Amino acid sequence: EKKKDKNMSIEKKLSQSILQVLSDLYGQSVDEKSIQLQATRKEFDGDLTLVVFPFLKISKKTPELTAEEIGSKLKEIQPIVENYNVIKGFLNLTIAKKHWVSMLNDMAKDEKYGFIQVGENSPLYMVEYSSPNTNKPLHLGHVRNNLLGYSLCKILEANGYRVVKTNIVNDRGIHICKSMLAWQKFGNGETPESSGKKGDHLVGDYYVKFDLEYKAQVKELMSQGKSEEEAKKEAPLMVEAQAMLKKWEDGDPGVRELWNKMNNWVYAGFDETYQKMGVGFDKIYYESQTYLDGKEKVNEGLSKGLFYRREDGSVWADLSADGLDEKLLLRADGTSVYMTQDIGTATQRFNEFSIDKMIYVVGNEQNYHFQVLSILLDRLGFSWGKDLVHFSYGMVELPEGKMKSREGTVVDADDLMEEMVTTAKEVSMELGKLEGRPQEEIDEIARICGMGALKYFILKVDPRKNMLFNPKESIDFNGNTGPFIQYTHARICSVLRKAKESGFDIPTSLDVNLDVSEVEANLIQTLANFPVVIRQAGAEYSPALIANYVYDLVKSYNSFYHDFSILKEENESVRAFRLVLSQTIAKVIKLGMSLLGIDVPERM
């Protein structure tokens, strides 16, 4: 097992010095890429290990002798290196302790340690996430989508990019007409006010109602001798829904009025869900306002011979030259499909913002869709088409029977969040963590803890993987969970409060000559790695890297807390050092968790 990776700046300094040493010793320059520095293995003395095999060609000596020569010269010219030892072809370097303490001083002073300042001219990234339909409430899949999208935005900002958080609401189309028609036929004027239901749930109930009635009609027609395909097309409800869509596209005032009314119910419901989830957007696009631009672009492409029209009047793109098949862009009756709308939305976005990178957070079942979108945008002459990023993530499921949802099949986001907060309250009460607190504080801590558990459990998994979300497991106060990390943060805050109450000073600068233990040096090394992890998470679009980094830091701190005394330490400068170390770790926990959209309380 290796110690945690060390800070890049040390590696950079050492790499530069090693290049110098090789040139001095052997009169040849080598490529910096051939310098492999690794964390020293636990069983050996040292912090960083240089692999010397790549340099045997120029040293023309044995691995041991080469390592010995490089080590001796390196110690002479680079004050960071306090000592070295050679094991076969590996040169183990020990970093001077005072180097770690001076680094801790720097980290302690930097409020936004690890974050790069966003400038006016920083590249602009637009991230699309959520993308709900206005015919039903948000579900568990949307929860993973929203949490990933929001966290990705935070991570990109920490990497110094300007970010526009955006959403495209699928507010038109046949599925929307289904819930409208069902409400018209079976609703008896029911409203969110009259029923006490959230608007998105109310509309979702009518979408389910449509499906039930439609299936009954299909069954009836099949019993009269129709084929399944005929029955599905000829069922009166489907015929009416198609007619309603046509009326909507023609701007029929009655249909438009009903559409506006029901959509507004849904938006009020969505806003409530987003607020509970702690996510938001800078700019929301609506399919009803972008699909016409898409149609226009498709017709433009048709006139330029980029697409073709079939006998039934439908418009298609032939992608066989790209190794794909043919893609429908406009139906025979002239109505648009998702692809058309995505072309329109992209057109509007790039007209409005000077976007350097467009990222779509959409499940992996849409991989093909985005492959096609990229080719079509490129073909239509958009230079950015080729570079769009589909941030594709896996499915999320619950263990069987964990939670019944309204429809019995899909797990509702509101139900899930409510369940998480309730469970957090129960677990905290059982553990006696909230005894004697005012009710208001108990509710707030349960909310922070429940939502932290949900977010962390989902974000710690590699986004590309399918995952099983287990509500009970996520609220464990031990193990790789949100509450475990939150509790450690609260514990450090408690230590710092007690230090202040005892009149202990937490200095702004520490004595760099202080002798620190290996455990403490390792903690500083882990802290030093935080900026590196933020860069990596930004480059790989992976919140999981941040989550698991914070967990490792917290685990290391807890074992330090267990083995070393802080407030009872009698040596004043050692105590001061441990307080500054604890304070800096609390700060990095808070910053790291903020990148996941998670709050960390100061008391728990």
Side-chain angles (χ1 to χ4, degrees):
E1 195 195 330
K2 295 186 172 180
K3 290 175 192 160
K4 290 285 149 261
D5 293 338
K6 308 302 189 284
N7 176 275
M8 276 303 188
S9 61
I10 303 172
E11 291 183 11
K12 193 79 187 146
K13 281 180 192 168
L14 283 173
S15 294
Q16 304 287 304
S17 300
I18 292 162
L19 289 174
Q20 183 63 51
V21 164
L22 292 168
S23 171
D24 291 353
L25 286 173
Y26 309 118
Q28 286 193 40
S29 61
V30 298
D31 182 2
E32 194 172 345
K33 287 196 184 90
S34 64
I35 294 172
Q36 299 168 37
L37 283 166
Q38 305 165 346
T40 302
R41 282 170 46 182
K42 281 244 164 70
E43 60 268 33
F44 301 122
D45 283 341
D47 295 307
L48 285 168
T49 296
L50 175 70
V51 184
V52 299
F53 298 107
F55 316 125
L56 302 183
K57 278 196 203 84
I58 60 171
S59 74
K60 301 190 170 47
K61 291 176 184 163
T62 63
E64 287 83 353
L65 202 53
T66 308
E68 185 58 53
E69 286 184 345
I70 295 172
S72 168
K73 189 79 176 157
L74 195 56
K75 190 179 168 189
E76 196 183 301
I77 71 158
Q78 177 48 273
I80 292 177
V81 178
E82 187 173 66
N83 229 322
Y84 71 92
N85 65 78
V86 175
I87 310 276
K88 298 187 174 144
F90 298 94
L91 171 63
N92 301 323
L93 305 169
T94 302
I95 307 301
K97 289 280 194 291
K98 66 178 179 191
H99 181 75
W100 295 122
V101 180
S102 75
M103 278 184 68
L104 179 62
N105 276 334
D106 293 342
M107 294 187 277
K109 288 188 186 85
D110 186 350
E111 275 313 299
K112 282 282 198 171
Y113 168 62
F115 286 42
I116 295 173
Q117 184 76 40
V118 179
E120 279 174 35
N121 301 318
S122 301
L124 180 70
Y125 279 38
M126 181 178 271
V127 183
E128 174 193 293
Y129 57 98
S130 203
S131 323
N133 294 331
T134 58
N135 60 332
K136 51 187 178 212
L138 303 176
H139 56 67
L140 180 57
H142 288 114
V143 173
R144 190 177 197 190
N145 179 303
N146 279 287
L147 297 182
L148 282 170
Y150 185 76
S151 176
L152 188 59
C153 292
K154 297 295 245 182
I155 290 167
L156 291 169
E157 280 172 351
N159 276 289
Y161 299 114
R162 289 180 298 143
V163 175
V164 177
K165 301 190 286 290
T166 184
N167 186 356
I168 172 77
V169 178
N170 300 305
D171 65 340
R172 60 166 288 283
I174 191 68
H175 47 295
I176 311 297
C177 290
K178 287 176 184 177
S179 46
M180 286 163 60
L181 186 65
W183 183 84
Q184 221 175 29
K185 283 188 170 309
F186 315 112
N188 300 319
E190 186 183 21
T191 67
E193 290 72 35
S194 73
S195 64
K197 283 183 190 169
K198 263 178 97 233
D200 50 338
H201 291 145
L202 178 72
V203 172
D205 291 345
Y206 284 99
Y207 184 64
V208 174
K209 177 76 173 155
F210 176 94
D211 199 48
L212 286 172
E213 299 288 337
Y214 170 60
K215 279 182 179 147
Q217 288 185 354
V218 170
K219 204 172 166 186
E220 174 63 27
L221 287 169
M222 283 168 73
S223 73
Q224 294 167 18
K226 301 267 185 197
S227 74
E228 189 178 354
E229 203 176 320
E230 286 170 337
K232 281 184 166 173
K233 267 196 187 139
E234 293 170 26
L237 270 176
M238 188 55 83
V239 173
E240 279 186 78
Q242 297 283 7
M244 187 183 256
L245 180 60
K246 192 81 185 76
K247 277 182 165 177
W248 183 91
E249 296 217 350
D250 295 340
D252 179 284
V255 171
R256 285 286 174 132
E257 192 187 340
L258 175 63
W259 173 74
N260 270 318
K261 175 164 75 178
M262 290 179 73
N263 272 351
N264 283 328
W265 293 346
V266 173
Y267 297 143
F270 282 172
D271 285 348
E272 215 178 294
T273 305
Y274 288 139
Q275 202 180 343
K276 273 187 202 149
M277 211 182 286
V279 303
F281 309 93
D282 302 311
K283 172 82 194 193
I284 297 182
Y285 291 86
Y286 298 90
E287 189 185 340
S288 56
Q289 293 163 16
T290 67
Y291 84 105
L292 290 173
D293 284 14
K295 275 181 153 180
E296 197 181 308
K297 279 281 163 218
V298 169
N299 285 322
E300 202 179 291
L302 190 63
S303 66
K304 289 179 179 168
L306 302 173
F307 310 131
Y308 75 95
R309 196 186 287 283
R310 287 192 184 169
E311 278 175 24
D312 66 357
S314 57
V315 177
W316 294 73
D318 180 1
L319 304 173
S320 49
D322 297 281
L324 304 173
D325 54 12
E326 305 198 334
K327 186 72 190 166
L328 174 70
L329 299 177
L330 286 174
R331 294 193 190 95
D333 63 1
T335 54
S336 63
V337 293
Y338 270 134
M339 192 60 75
T340 328
Q341 164 242 308
D342 271 345
I343 292 169
T345 310
T347 308
Q348 282 193 14
R349 284 170 172 163
F350 280 85
N351 287 341
E352 200 172 337
F353 296 93
S354 50
I355 302 169
D356 294 292
K357 182 76 81 185
M358 179 71 219
I359 302 169
Y360 295 87
V361 180
V362 181
N364 56 15
E365 73 281 0
Q366 294 290 336
N367 286 357
Y368 179 73
H369 177 89
F370 284 97
Q371 208 182 339
V372 172
L373 180 63
S374 180
I375 294 167
L376 292 179
L377 289 172
D378 186 53
R379 199 180 276 191
L380 285 165
F382 295 114
S383 56
W384 36 263
K386 267 197 175 76
D387 298 328
L388 68 82
V389 175
H390 173 207
F391 176 89
S392 169
Y393 62 89
M395 292 280 294
V396 54
E397 287 172 3
L398 283 173
E400 276 309 306
K402 273 287 172 195
M403 245 185 82
K404 280 284 167 275
S405 70
R406 286 186 174 72
E407 297 168 38
T409 49
V410 178
V411 178
D412 180 83
D414 291 320
D415 288 351
L416 178 64
M417 291 193 288
E418 198 177 317
E419 165 118 343
M420 292 301 297
V421 175
T422 307
T423 310
K425 194 177 292 184
E426 285 165 7
V427 173
S428 300
M429 287 299 202
E430 276 166 33
L431 295 172
K433 290 190 187 297
L434 298 174
E435 270 172 22
R437 302 280 180 85
Q439 190 57 47
E440 213 172 292
E441 197 183 336
I442 289 175
D443 292 344
E444 181 58 5
I445 290 173
R447 184 192 69 77
I448 290 176
C449 189
M451 289 308 296
L454 170 67
K455 293 179 181 187
Y456 185 84
F457 201 92
I458 284 178
L459 292 173
K460 74 175 180 180
V461 180
D462 177 342
R464 288 171 284 278
K465 291 185 175 153
N466 289 344
M467 68 169 292
L468 197 64
F469 173 68
N470 188 329
K472 196 76 184 165
E473 208 180 293
S474 71
I475 296 186
D476 192 351
F477 276 83
N478 297 299
N480 191 358
T481 64
F484 172 66
I485 293 167
Q486 290 172 320
Y487 188 61
T488 302
H489 180 267
R491 166 185 268 176
I492 300 175
C493 290
S494 166
V495 169
L496 298 171
R497 275 196 302 275
K498 284 176 186 160
K500 285 211 170 87
E501 286 160 15
S502 307
F504 296 150
D505 189 29
I506 302 177
T508 48
S509 208
L510 295 161
D511 174 8
V512 294
N513 296 309
L514 187 72
D515 192 28
V516 299
S517 69
E518 194 184 343
V519 170
E520 292 162 323
N522 285 345
L523 271 172
I524 300 173
Q525 291 161 18
T526 304
L527 284 173
N529 208 29
F530 184 48
V532 182
V533 175
I534 294 178
R535 301 304 150 261
Q536 197 187 342
E540 294 178 23
Y541 305 141
S542 180
L545 293 172
I546 303 282
N548 290 297
Y549 164 82
V550 175
Y551 173 61
D552 285 339
L553 175 64
V554 161
K555 225 171 30 170
S556 303
Y557 181 81
N558 277 323
S559 77
F560 157 76
Y561 180 84
H562 188 264
D563 295 339
F564 291 75
S565 54
I566 302 176
L567 298 174
K568 292 201 171 91
E569 171 58 52
E570 284 169 10
N571 178 322
E572 207 177 312
S573 49
V574 172
R575 184 178 63 225
F577 162 76
R578 288 179 187 160
L579 285 169
V580 171
L581 179 61
S582 299
Q583 190 175 46
T584 309
I585 286 171
K587 174 172 71 183
V588 169
I589 293 170
K590 189 172 185 173
L591 289 169
M593 293 294 262
S594 78
L595 295 176
L596 306 175
I598 299 174
D599 292 328
V600 284
E602 298 200 354
R603 297 169 195 269
M604 258 174 98

